């Protein structure tokens, strides 16, 4: 049994931030979870799906975030407790619903987990989703450690129910994907039955609703004034206080300790960052002369606190505020302890115990010039590698300087060497086909470059269909290539409408991509990218046609495939390997670049690294020497 | 319980797909069993394929630590791949750092493509030795051997090294808790192999020529 | 022969200059160069500075005299038709072959004989219609498969790419039917210091050629007039008709040749060879005589083979009248002269003849 189901109140376990959020939801008696996968929030719904049978939770992977949010809201309207989790970009997808559900209100506890990704480690932006809370007038909670991730989530459901408003819980990659101590709470008896009553119409009396919303927010503020998630540590009469939220809390505490400032610097840690617990903050800032705001990405806390300080100028007197505006913290990128240490040191004029410069130089020199860099690449056996090689080949054969517009997903690596530098634009889900749509209408301006829009299979359902319909209606010259690998690979192979199974792994009806295309009236072909020469030829042919066209490159990601099939073992027959000579020039390891093929320095021939090769066999079809063979197969 | 150094900082460095996360999870859970606060931060999302991956594991008897180890503060580095151990010294290493490293290279894409060279492993180890207090080379996987989880062997070597204040019992308890029953046997075997290697000949501390102290 | 260049140079000097003939010599000898229909591209330069691709290409420097020596053992004395042993008219004896094939049916008859008699094991040639009007190069093992290959085509397909594939599979007794640029490339391959399977080609029958169309341009043009899947046969009746007849399931379409000529591949304007001068045997039409082919035997191997074929009663021959021979020579010379002019216009340099390396005598005649 995993820690999620563990019925041992008081026991401390190791939990990932996302798991702690899921456990908090479980302890709150969550009934319903709908989500679309997205790093770093994926593991929240994934955890709930894993224990859904055990706790009687309904869990689904929805087509996209707004659909998930709406579905979860339905459960709330029927009196259930519901959770929806998404990455930061997903919040944008939800925004339309968010800006109306706040007015119409909800019934059962509804929590939206927004997983932000400072430094855009797995994202195409590093937006700070907290602004949505202020924008939509919704209560915002920011857990600072693993325990809080659990406890706050549980409380968020109660709060949401009490206010009749969805509650936003903002996590970040560093919390969601890190692990730490969590003391388990009590598992509840679940008794809720779903029943819809009442009227939830946004805009019926919009102004009145808006006024009521502001009242609810005041009510939230009252609740926050006494919340245990807001606290102060440090000397009673500190003149210098760090005001912090989220992961900034742990970094601040360590920074203060590292500089030995415990007796001089206090830390005011805020867990409920919108609306601010104003009385609580004002109480703790009386007699304080300087504050440093330690938060991640946007100066959200900073600006709100500055407003508060201005309002309370009479009570508080002048307080010097350090933060991103003053240049003591960048308003981008991740926070860490070192950044807080540096800010503190520069404000207080402290001499840092610096690391040995020469040592760092020596080590840096080794890291940068002595050892080779390591770029992320497609997995061994990844179908995207073959697809992008086919795309490159077809565009080269076409010869009109064609290019590829992309969006986000595994295949975004295709913008780099792993994908032969083919992808030229990356924005958001569905952005590639949307752009291609526009490029495809530029012919009257002497534009004659062919455009290929690549999108993943999951992205197709999520965000590409409206653009494809638009392309059809306006007869835009665009070739869309759907890289269909059978699941949402980037985030760990969650199913999508074409997968044929659901969040719990049970078989489910499929909605085929090609049927959707046909329904729209767009010409569609389905090919296996591993049959590369055929794929190239057909892609080339499609490039010669006008109007919208769709090529589905269908080959299941080997990670899904490997679960079901015994893999073949490939090896290089070095007697047949052409190697460096004309006729090959190390195509497999140098150009095609599957990490499964390595260059045997001694033999000066290629060699398969059997530990990492997945046995997809695509290199064997490309090898000009017929040197790559299956072990045990008749020759 | 008190730690001789609090927090005690461990980095497990490797390449995406090497099982970094499982390794850090085993070590961390063992730490919790020991009654410690443990924080594990994974730098570079695990979703990145084939890129460098490292886990920061921080132990404290006093409080929960932040998920990232400050610069120069790694006490122990476990390298699942030789150059990945070397790569992180500039940011996290110090002359007091101790390193346990597997010598098996995983070639980066630019090495495969001939645009970059992978230096000889012995030399990498030597260079490591010049920067840190101690390097132990642990041959987690013999050439041609497959099936045994190298990451868990390296966890065993860490346990066997005595660098962490965690008992064997808690390490094994942690493995039992984390690994699925069908893989348990294999993983326990891998772990034991690592423990033995750490004590035995395979883990030879490399003589260090120049050692700088602050 | 000037060697010492690689795929990047091929891309720059040939493909980038629209000089590629789509012969296919550079395709399927490595993973970097690919062909789809008649489009050839270096997908990514391989990085080698010296390679087969550049060496084999008929549009990289080609020394005509040196190639003469390697194929015939001597240089030419006839500067309009190239080396030959005899020139006649010929036709297939089998009237069925004759009526299926356009004109005299000699090629079908000879290939059929070569396969049946075991002179070769495989024939590499072109099937005129492979869906949507694009010809396909095929490898044939049995003579009855030849039937589909009868007829003319006006778009060239990468026959040597198919041949490279076949030789890579170890086929080493091949008879090849090709147009002049393909034959020239094949001979360059056979003469190359690089290792190549082209030595496995034992019999080369060359076709006459004045130009070929670019598939993309021509098919897009034709698509506007007819559904390409309905096209059954394309033919250019002898002058002075000046038309191209496209037979379709929905009836014939007549296109003005002047309109069609717009889609001639640019490389054809610099082509120096009309009669497949490096073949064992060259075959073409005879203007004004239906049912008969012009028939040039060039090499001893070709002569030897033709003797056997005659003995076996596969073809009828008769002498080519002097006036017709003169006419042929003139036509060939005009093509050469035009090519040299076109090249000089391209390079804007009287001395720079692109790929052509001509002997002093030839220069005198055509410059
Ligand atoms: S592609 Fe084939 S011939 Fe070329 S180096 Fe690799 S194994 Fe050898
Ligand atoms: S078979 Fe070839 S392409 Fe496929 S994973 Fe193995 S090495 Fe890579
Ligand atoms: S034929 Fe040789 S030189 Fe030319 S592209 Fe291929 S490998 Fe390179
Ligand atoms: S060898 Fe033939 S196909 Fe290749 S570039 Fe030259 S003319 Fe074109």
């Amino acid at each position: 049994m995993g820690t999620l189901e563990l019925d041992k109140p008081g026991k401390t376990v190791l939990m990932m931030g996302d798991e702690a959020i899921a456990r908090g939801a479980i302890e709150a008696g969550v009934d319903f979870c709908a989500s679309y996968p997205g790093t770093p929030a994926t593991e929240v719904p994934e955890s709930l799906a894993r224990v859904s049978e055990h706790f009687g939770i309904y869990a689904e992977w929805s087509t996209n975030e707004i659909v998930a949010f709406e579905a979860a809201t339905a459960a709330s309207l029927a009196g259930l407790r519901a959770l929806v989790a998404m990455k930061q970009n997903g919040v944008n997808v939800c925004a339309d619903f968010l800006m109306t559900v706040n007015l119409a209100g909800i019934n059962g506890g509804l929590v939206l987990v927004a997983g932000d990704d400072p430094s855009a480690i797995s994202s195409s932006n590093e937006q700070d989703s907290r602004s949505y809370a202020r924008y939509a007038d919704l209560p915002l909670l920011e857990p600072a450690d693993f325990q809080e991730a659990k406890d706050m989530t549980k409380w968020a459901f109660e709060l949401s129910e009490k206010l009749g408003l969805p509650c936003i819980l903002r996590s970040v990659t560093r919390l969601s994907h890190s692990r730490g101590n969590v003391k388990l709470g009590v598992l509840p008896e679940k008794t809720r039955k779903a029943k819809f009553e009442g009227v939830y119409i946004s805009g019926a009396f919009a102004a009145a609703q808006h006024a009521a919303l502001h009242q609810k927010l005041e009510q939230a503020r009252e609740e926050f004034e006494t919340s245990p998630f807001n606290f102060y540590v440090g000397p009673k009469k500190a003149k210098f206080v760090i005001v912090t939220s989220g992961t900034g809390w742990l970094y601040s505490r360590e920074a203060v300790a590292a500089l030995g400032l415990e007796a001089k610097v206090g830390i005011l840690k805020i867990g409920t960052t919108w609306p601010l617990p104003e009385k609580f903050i004002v109480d703790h800032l009386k007699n304080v002369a300087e504050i440093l705001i330690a938060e991640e990405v946007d100066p959200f806390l900073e600006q709100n606190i500055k407003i508060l300080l201005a309002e309370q100028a009479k009570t508080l007197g002048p307080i010097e505020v350090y933060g991103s505006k003053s240049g003591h913290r960048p308003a981008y990128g991740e926070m860490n302890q070192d950044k807080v240490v540096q800010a503190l040191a520069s404000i207080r004029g402290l001499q840092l115990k610096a690391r040995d410069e020469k040592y760092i130089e020596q080590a840096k020199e080794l890291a940068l010039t002595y050892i080779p860099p390591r770029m992320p690449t497609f997995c061994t056996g990844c179908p995207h590698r073959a697809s992008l090689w086919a795309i490159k080949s077809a565009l080269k054969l076409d010869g009109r300087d064609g290019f590829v517009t992309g969006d986000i997903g595994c295949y975004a690596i295709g913008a780099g060497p792993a994908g032969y530098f083919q992808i030229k634009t990356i924005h958001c889900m569905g952005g590639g086909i949307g752009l291609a749509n526009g490029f495809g209408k530029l012919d009257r301006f002497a534009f004659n470059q062919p455009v290929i829009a690549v999108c993943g299979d999951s992205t197709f359902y999520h965000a590409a269909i409206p653009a494809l319909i638009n392309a059809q209606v306006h007869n835009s010259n665009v070739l869309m290539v759907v890289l269909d690998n059978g699941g949402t690979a980037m985030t760990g192979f969650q199913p999508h409408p074409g997968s044929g199974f659901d969040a719990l792994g049970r078989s489910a009806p499929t909605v085929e991509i090609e049927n959707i295309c046909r329904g729209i009236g767009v010409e569609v072909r389905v090919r296996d990218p591993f049959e590369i020469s055929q794929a190239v030829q057909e892609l080339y042919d499609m490039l010669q046609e006008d109007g919208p066209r769709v090529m589905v490159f269908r080959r299941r990601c080997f990670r899904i495939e490997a679960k079901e099939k015994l893999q073949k073992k490939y090896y290089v027959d070095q007697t047949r390997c052409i190697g460096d000579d004309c006729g090959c020039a190390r195509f497999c390891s140098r150009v095609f670049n599957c990490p499964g093929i390595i260059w045997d320095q001694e033999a000066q021939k290629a060699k398969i690294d059997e530990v990492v090769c997945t046995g997809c066999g695509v290199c064997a079809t490309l090898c000009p020497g017929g040197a790559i063979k299956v072990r045990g197969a008749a020759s | 319980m008190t730690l001789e150094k609090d927090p005690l900082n461990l980095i497990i460095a490797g390449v995406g797909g090497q099982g970094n996360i499982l390794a850090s999870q085993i070590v961390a859970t063992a730490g919790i069993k020991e009654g410690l606060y443990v924080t594990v931060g994974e730098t570079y999302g695990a979703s990145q394929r084939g890129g460098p991956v490292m886990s920061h594991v921080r132990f404290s008897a006093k409080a929960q630590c932040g998920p990232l180890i400050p610069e120069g503060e790694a006490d122990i580095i476990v390298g699942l791949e030789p150059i990945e151990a070397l790569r992180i010294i500039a940011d996290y290493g110090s002359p007091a750092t101790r390193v346990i490293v597997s010598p098996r290279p995983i070639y980066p894409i630019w090495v495969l493509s001939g645009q970059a060279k992978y230096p000889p492993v012995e030399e990498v180890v030597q260079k490591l030795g010049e920067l840190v207090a101690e390097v132990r080379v642990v041959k987690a996987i013999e050439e041609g051997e497959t099936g045994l989880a190298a990451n868990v062997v390296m966890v065993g070597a860490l346990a066997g090294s005595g660098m962490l204040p965690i008992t064997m019992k808690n390490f094994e308890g942690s493995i039992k808790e984390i690994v699925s029953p069908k893989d348990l046997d294999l993983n326990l075997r891998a772990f034991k192999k690592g423990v033995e290697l750490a004590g035995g000949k395979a883990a030879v501390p490399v003589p260090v020529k120049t050692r700088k102290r602050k | 022969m000037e060697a010492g260049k690689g795929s990047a140079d091929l891309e720059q000097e040939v493909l980038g200059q629209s000089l590629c003939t789509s012969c296919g010599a550079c395709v399927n000898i490595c993973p970097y160069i690919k062909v789809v229909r008649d489009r050839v591209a270096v997908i990514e330069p391989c990085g080698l500075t010296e390679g087969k691709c550049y060496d084999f290409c008929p549009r990289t420097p080609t020394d005509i005299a040196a190639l003469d020596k390697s194929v015939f053992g001597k240089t030419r004395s006839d500067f309009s038709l190239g080396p030959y042993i005899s020139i006649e008219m010929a036709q297939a004896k089998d009237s069925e072959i004759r009526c299926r094939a356009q004109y005299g049916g000699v090629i079908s008859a000879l290939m059929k004989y070569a396969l049946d008699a075991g002179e070769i094991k495989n024939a590499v040639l072109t099937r005129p219609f492979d869906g949507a009007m694009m010809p396909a190069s095929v490898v044939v093992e049995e003579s009855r498969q030849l039937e589909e290959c009868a007829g003319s085509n006006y778009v060239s397909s990468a026959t040597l790419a198919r041949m490279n594939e076949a030789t890579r599979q170890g086929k080493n007794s091949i008879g090849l039917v090709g147009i002049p640029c393909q034959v020239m490339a094949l001979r360059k391959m056979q003469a190359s210091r690089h290792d190549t399977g082209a030595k496995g080609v034992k019999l080369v029958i060359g076709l006459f050629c004045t130009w070929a169309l670019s598939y993309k341009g021509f098919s897009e043009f034709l698509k506007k007039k007819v559904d390409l899947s309905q096209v059954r046969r394309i033919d250019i009746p002898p002058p002075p008709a000046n038309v191209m007849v496209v037979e379709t399931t929905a009836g014939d379409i007549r296109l003005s040749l002047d309109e069609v000529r717009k889609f001639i591949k640019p490389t054809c304007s610099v082509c120096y060879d009309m009669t497949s001068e490096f073949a064992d045997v060259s075959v073409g039409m005879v203007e004004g005589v239906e049912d008969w082919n012009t028939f040039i035997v060039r090499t001893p191997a070709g002569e030897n083979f033709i003797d056997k074929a005659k003995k076996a009663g596969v073809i009828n021959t008769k002498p080519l009248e002097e006036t017709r021979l003169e006419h042929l020579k003139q036509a060939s010379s005009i093509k050469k002269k035009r090519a040299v002019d076109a090249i000089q216009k391209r390079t804007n340099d009287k001395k720079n003849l692109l790929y052509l390396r001509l002997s002093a005598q030839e220069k005198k005649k055509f410059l």
Side-chain angles (χ1 to χ4, degrees), chain B residues 3 8 21-22 35 179 194 202:
Chain B
L3 297 175
L8 186 63
I21 293 181
L22 180 70
V179 172

Side-chain angles (χ1 to χ4, degrees), chain C residues 322-353:
Chain C
E322 198 55 37
T323 52
R324 292 196 193 281
L325 179 61
E326 275 316 308
H327 194 86
L328 183 66
K329 284 189 177 177
Q330 204 184 351
S332 181
S333 293
I334 288 175
K335 181 165 176 183
K336 284 181 197 288
K337 181 96 187 85
R338 280 202 186 130
V340 170
D341 288 350
I343 290 173
Q344 284 175 330
K345 219 165 164 193
R346 252 179 194 260
T347 60
N348 213 358
D349 176 354
K350 289 250 176 287
K351 291 219 179 84
N352 182 347
L353 294 186

